[in-house]
Amino acid sequence: MVPTIDVAALFGPAGAARAAADRAIAAAAADIGFLTICGLPAHALPGPEARATLLGIFTLEEAALRALWRRKFAPGNPNVYRGFFPLQPGNVTAKEGIDLGADLAYGPGVVSADDPLREPTPMPPEAALPGWRAAAARCYLGLERVSRALMQSVARSQRLEEHHFDGAFHHGLSTLRLLHYPARRLAELERADPAVWVEHQGERRFLTGAAHTDSGFLTLLAQDGVPGLQARSREGTWLDVPALEGALAVNFGQVLERWSGGRIRATEHRVIGSPRERFSIPFFYEARADAEIRPLPGDDPESFEPFLYGDYLWERITAFVEFRGMERQRPARRTIAALR
């Protein structure tokens, strides 16, 4: 089963309680690579009221949403990486959503005109969704704080100074994503990719989120109470990740798996569909575009070729359906060896 870990001690001083939390997180990261965390500061995660405000973006009229669409979907729009992606019928994954960058919380100082990974985030006008921008900024900062505490725990478990990773993530590329999985109709499923159908616990079920591993470091997920998220165990079985109020699901990405010498596991996960629509709020904790990722102190310095995170991220995300076709929008800053 996916463990639930109380991480309240991560936000306090060093001591036995924090060391115990570090051990529990390290054990989960090495085993299934998935966990649910509770004991979070009240301001560090979006509660029901904040979630309702944030998810109000999906109630906007289509014309208002189109103004936020990525250039892939609206060629006249300037934004390439940030912004809204509409539902794309026929795929295994059936979702719509918006990707929000660090400028949401830190302003134009983190924007760079020569890198789509650091472009301004298109946002709805304040008059259209009063309070939305402020709520989104609070959510971004709260989840960033939780992510930083978890990475400091990871550093301690890897026998590194606890702030070892902090610099790589300062004003990084972290993304707050708001997601809506509409209820799928049988007629649409019959026209979709046949891989949409799976067998789970002896029943034929359909997917609404295709199986994948995350490409980066650390992902937090606030769920809406509708079940469906599953993680693949080492034995190959699919385990339900509980959707608990006041808690966050946590999983780790491919870069952190490589960075840790395989001591932390990037786990495949998927979303099983149901007759109900589903909303979720993931936060992808990402390093700066110019952060160089190289083997950790104490590991084999030749275990992988150092690379710039921005180059790797662009190579990876353009394989996902919502970014497919955008490969040439950003040239690599340095030739890198792909992670395999």
Side-chain angles (χ1 to χ4, degrees):
M1 63 181 294
V2 175
T4 298
I5 299 172
D6 188 323
V7 298
L10 298 188
F11 302 91
R18 195 180 75 172
D22 287 345
R23 289 192 297 272
I25 292 167
D31 180 21
I32 189 173
F34 241 93
L35 58 149
T36 300
I37 59 173
C38 60
L40 297 159
H43 61 276
L45 77 168
E49 185 176 342
R51 287 201 303 272
T53 298
L54 294 173
L55 298 174
I57 196 165
F58 297 107
T59 68
L60 290 176
E61 298 291 335
E62 184 174 345
L65 279 178
R66 280 182 176 272
L68 309 177
W69 281 14
R70 292 193 186 117
R71 187 187 302 169
K72 172 181 175 177
F73 307 106
N77 286 358
N79 47 300
V80 173
Y81 179 56
R82 301 299 182 188
F84 199 90
F85 54 93
L87 188 67
Q88 298 165 76
N91 292 294
V92 174
T93 296
K95 66 184 179 184
E96 60 180 348
I98 187 168
D99 286 336
L100 309 167
D103 59 314
L104 173 72
Y106 295 106
V110 297
V111 170
S112 176
D114 68 348
D115 190 346
L117 290 172
R118 297 178 59 194
E119 69 185 6
T121 301
M123 289 181 272
E126 180 66 20
L129 289 174
W132 184 91
R133 292 189 179 199
R138 285 194 298 272
C139 183
Y140 189 103
L141 291 169
L143 294 176
E144 184 180 54
R145 182 187 177 199
V146 175
S147 300
R148 187 183 304 115
L150 286 168
M151 284 299 293
Q152 289 171 357
S153 175
V154 167
R156 292 190 294 267
S157 298
Q158 298 295 311
R159 301 182 185 278
L160 301 170
E161 196 277 324
E162 69 176 357
H163 298 290
H164 180 85
F165 298 114
D166 289 3
F169 292 89
H170 179 66
H171 288 174
L173 299 175
S174 298
T175 295
L176 176 65
R177 175 177 281 191
L178 310 178
L179 282 178
H180 173 221
Y181 297 86
R184 305 191 77 166
R185 300 181 182 276
L186 182 59
E188 186 262 325
L189 289 167
E190 289 175 343
R191 297 191 301 269
D193 186 323
V196 74
W197 295 102
V198 297
E199 184 173 315
H200 180 61
Q201 295 181 343
E203 296 182 358
R204 187 172 185 248
R205 303 286 299 274
F206 64 86
L207 297 175
T208 193
H212 67 283
T213 55
D214 288 351
S215 57
F217 302 88
L218 175 73
T219 304
L220 306 181
L221 182 70
Q223 303 187 73
D224 69 345
V226 176
L229 178 63
Q230 296 183 323
R232 190 191 284 273
S233 71
R234 285 188 176 275
E235 294 72 34
T237 57
W238 289 97
L239 305 176
D240 292 327
V241 180
L244 304 176
E245 186 61 46
L248 296 168
V250 180
N251 66 279
F252 305 96
Q254 294 170 355
V255 173
L256 189 56
E257 182 176 75
R258 175 57 63 90
W259 212 3
S260 68
R263 296 181 293 274
I264 292 172
R265 184 173 175 230
T267 298
E268 193 176 22
H269 49 286
R270 68 184 186 182
V271 180
I272 288 279
S274 76
R276 301 167 61 188
E277 66 179 351
R278 184 176 184 272
F279 295 89
S280 66
I281 303 176
F283 182 79
F284 303 95
Y285 194 48
E286 309 278 9
R288 299 189 323 273
D290 63 352
E292 186 176 65
I293 310 301
R294 58 173 56 251
L296 294 175
D299 286 348
D300 179 358
E302 298 183 357
S303 58
F304 65 87
E305 181 181 346
F307 58 92
L308 297 181
Y309 182 63
D311 289 351
Y312 165 79
L313 176 62
W314 192 259
E315 181 183 39
R316 288 290 301 151
I317 64 165
T318 50
F320 286 89
V321 62
E322 63 267 28
F323 292 102
R324 205 170 293 151
M326 295 166 46
E327 293 84 353
R328 297 182 181 179
Q329 298 289 335
R330 182 188 191 271
R333 273 37 176 182
R334 182 199 294 175
T335 301
I336 62 170
L339 293 184
R340 302 298 182 196

